[in-house]
Amino acid sequence: MKAARLHGPRDVRVEEVPTPRPGPDEVLVRVRAVSICPSDWRLYVDGHAGGAALSGPIIQGHEFCGDVAAHGPGVDAPPIGARVAVEPSWHCGRCDVCARGLTHLCRNIVFPSFPPRDGALAEYIACPASSLHPLPDRVSDAVGAMVEPLGVAIHAVRLSRLEAGERVLVLGAGVIGLSVVCLARIRGPGCRAAVEPVAGRRRWAVAMGATATAASCRELADAGFEAEVVFDCSGEDGALAEALPLAQPGGRVVVVGIPRSERFDLSAAQVRRRELTLIFTRRSRDTLAEAVALAADGDVDLARLPVRRFSLAQVADAMEVTAARPGDVLRAVVMP
Ligand SMILES: [Zn+2]
Ligand SMILES: [Zn+2]
């Protein structure tokens, strides 16, 4: 099969590699669409991301959908030809953390696209059958790939224990931040502010349900804004520190994005004197069915978000668009 393999920073090559064979309890998926995540770009340009480093050539891509092409031993569903979305945190089901139900934090977690496991920027990928969920026909391939970041947003909102009427601040109007805005709107009435430096993206925050937007936290602070719950979906170093003054005393601050730096620089006085609760999230857990349903019903209308499509040979261009964050493209989507 053809695959886009990353050999080193900014060195991606389309190569002929063996088509994976689905093992026991696995399914071979013919990849239809791969949404490029900002974390993919980090690995692409830095050679490391979120604590994982490149050790040899790797196929990137963890937000994807496709068709069931073959069954491994012991598998008979979903049927051959079924369109499926994928939750890419693959757990062992045997360790103590899995036993506590925290399968996304499994001690033996496998995450396709992060070394050493190959991802989906290829014609085929083998996935555990348990990680798949059928995609209704009315969900496009591009949206089918974006239900993974929607799942990350669902997980973050669950952990925040957001209640109807609470004021919400979201940093970063990418797909995850916009999904959080939308999920907060679904939860009930309330004020939802989004901070996003790219003007074109602030427009999408309003479309997805933000009641206020600003280019910076300072702008909102000057207007006297405060929120019970702050979600940092920006992945920007320093964004969290800027947002802390906007968290109400007793508020919750949920860290969703992956900062480029390995250190958080927070004011001890700010977090302590107002007794803020900091909540860290990792990826998602058991969110796929809900994400597919929300996307299919249009409750979280990912289909309206602008994407730009690329071929497998254009992965480098897709990565650069992801880094450039133009106002008129929220996701680069590769159709292998
Ligand atoms: Zn992602
Ligand atoms: Zn486990």
Side-chain angles (χ1 to χ4, degrees):
M1 67 170 184
K2 283 190 171 36
R5 295 173 86 217
L6 183 67
H7 286 253
R10 282 202 162 98
D11 178 10
V12 63
R13 308 172 199 169
V14 175
E15 295 174 332
E16 222 26 81
V17 299
T19 302
R21 290 162 59 103
D25 303 318
E26 286 188 341
V27 160
L28 184 69
V29 172
R30 171 69 178 93
V31 181
R32 277 179 177 256
V34 185
S35 157
I36 301 297
C37 177
S39 71
D40 291 324
W41 176 72
R42 290 271 176 73
L43 187 69
Y44 174 80
V45 74
D46 290 342
H48 61 88
L54 206 58
S55 53
I58 186 122
I59 302 171
Q60 294 192 269
H62 61 269
E63 303 176 357
F64 61 102
C65 68
D67 303 321
V68 173
H71 293 146
V75 180
D76 55 9
I80 304 291
R83 280 175 79 234
V84 288
V86 185
E87 187 151 11
S89 278
W90 299 343
H91 58 278
C92 75
R94 295 182 308 272
C95 71
D96 58 327
V97 181
C98 280
R100 289 167 58 207
L102 301 172
T103 49
H104 63 309
L105 305 177
C106 169
R107 294 189 192 274
N108 307 304
I109 197 85
V110 170
F111 195 79
S113 84
F114 273 76
R117 182 69 170 233
D118 278 330
L121 282 170
E123 289 177 296
Y124 294 92
I125 182 172
C127 308
S130 60
S131 70
L132 308 179
H133 191 83
L135 268 183
D137 288 343
R138 61 185 183 280
V139 178
S140 71
D141 291 339
V143 169
M146 289 194 290
V147 297
E148 194 275 341
L150 170 54
V152 172
I154 291 169
H155 181 61
V157 171
R158 282 182 192 164
L159 289 182
S160 77
R161 300 177 188 272
L162 179 65
E163 305 217 358
E166 287 189 311
R167 288 163 298 174
V168 170
L169 169 63
V170 177
L171 309 183
V175 174
I176 294 174
L178 292 172
S179 296
V180 169
V181 167
C182 208
L183 293 166
R185 175 180 58 76
I186 292 169
R187 195 133 310 205
C191 174
R192 298 170 294 276
V195 167
E196 167 57 57
V198 180
R201 292 191 166 201
R202 292 200 290 278
R203 193 161 48 93
W204 293 107
V206 172
M208 296 296 270
T211 54
T213 62
S216 67
C217 288
R218 170 58 61 86
E219 236 177 79
L220 285 178
D222 289 348
F225 179 85
E226 267 192 349
E228 280 89 352
V229 190
V230 176
F231 293 90
D232 179 9
C233 305
S234 72
E236 293 294 331
D237 294 337
L240 193 58
E242 280 172 38
L244 285 182
L246 296 170
Q248 204 197 39
R252 286 104 73 203
V253 177
V254 188
V255 183
V256 188
I258 305 172
R260 200 166 186 175
S261 153
E262 272 300 298
R263 295 261 177 266
F264 288 108
D265 185 16
L266 303 178
S267 154
Q270 271 178 3
V271 292
R272 184 185 61 78
R273 294 174 71 127
R274 280 178 300 138
E275 205 174 69
L276 299 180
T277 300
L278 285 177
I279 300 169
F280 295 92
T281 72
R282 188 170 200 216
R283 299 171 181 159
S284 61
R285 168 164 55 95
D286 287 337
T287 55
L288 189 59
E290 185 176 344
V292 168
L294 286 168
D297 296 345
D299 293 327
V300 178
D301 194 2
L302 298 173
R304 72 188 301 174
L305 302 180
V307 301
R308 190 177 294 170
R309 289 172 175 74
F310 298 86
S311 69
L312 204 54
Q314 296 170 316
V315 165
D317 299 330
M319 292 289 175
E320 297 302 338
V321 163
T322 302
R325 304 184 83 242
D328 59 341
V329 183
L330 274 161
R331 274 289 155 121
V333 179
V334 176
M335 323 296 267

